[in-house]
Amino acid sequence: MKTNPDKFTFPLITLEETDSTNRYLNQLCNEKGEDIAEFTTVSANYQTAGKGQRGNSWEADQNKNLLFSVVLYPTFLEARQQFILSQIVSLSIKEELNRWSNDFSIKWPNDIYYQEKKICGILIENDLAGRYIGRSICGIGLNINQETFHSDAPNPVSLYQITGKEQDRSEILTNILNRLQLYYNSLRMETQDSFLPEISARYARSLFRRRGFHPYQDANGKFLARLLRVEPDGRLVLEDENGKERGYLFKEVQIVL
């Protein structure tokens, strides 16, 4: 993936192959500390062990997709606010993909879906410094130009499959990071009491299956429920068919596809 230096204003490390861009960037930050600037981005043309949520791997053909990680130092955010990073990363990607279709949504907490198919996975790893977030590494796998998928993943899709033509990966990467930087700078500079509700509202409007009753599964089995809201700490609040509210943290419930 070649990037136009006149348009790409972030520190960029491009790798032909790595096991995981998150691991690579994390190790780099551990070794060089403050020498690694905020928004430094590691992008790979191929990952041998890309990490996803719940310990899953991420399938991606070589030179076809976006596999990248970016480092932030959100020391102005308390640890209890870390879900806001998940929101602004997923919104940045979803809003870039909106250039091609209105059918993109955010599947709680931060997967990006096209209709009923997954196009993007996000893994955010935070290091805490006391009660604040010292460092955040945001890893993203976004299917761009992959024509077919070979693994047993149930529902992958790429932008190529949606649009019928190849897209410029470099341009999409640049646009996502520009959008993320706007969100991030606004979060850092503006009064959080006024900006956080705006982010939460945008996130709520973007949620997958945000209307109607749909199947979910928790430790007690499957049930039907409708989405009520997502709390500031990321807790998903549902209402089941009996009118009972149910609250879940990440990994406590799954949306049944």
Side-chain angles (χ1 to χ4, degrees), residues 72-75 77 127-129 132-136:
L72 303 173
Y73 302 109
T75 54
L77 285 177
D127 287 337
L128 304 183
Y132 291 90
I133 303 172
R135 183 174 78 203
S136 181

Side-chain angles (χ1 to χ4, degrees), residues 118-174:
K118 182 175 178 177
I119 192 170
C120 178
I122 300 168
L123 178 64
I124 299 177
E125 298 175 309
N126 295 317
D127 287 337
L128 304 183
R131 63 189 184 96
Y132 291 90
I133 303 172
R135 183 174 78 203
S136 181
I137 293 181
C138 310
I140 294 152
L142 176 58
N143 299 329
I144 303 294
N145 291 324
Q146 189 147 336
E147 297 182 24
T148 58
F149 292 88
H150 317 288
S151 74
D152 57 359
N155 61 343
V157 70
S158 69
L159 198 53
Y160 175 87
Q161 292 175 327
I162 295 166
T163 64
K165 59 183 181 181
E166 287 199 355
Q167 306 295 335
D168 187 330
R169 293 183 296 149
S170 174
E171 178 185 359
I172 294 171
L173 174 60
T174 301

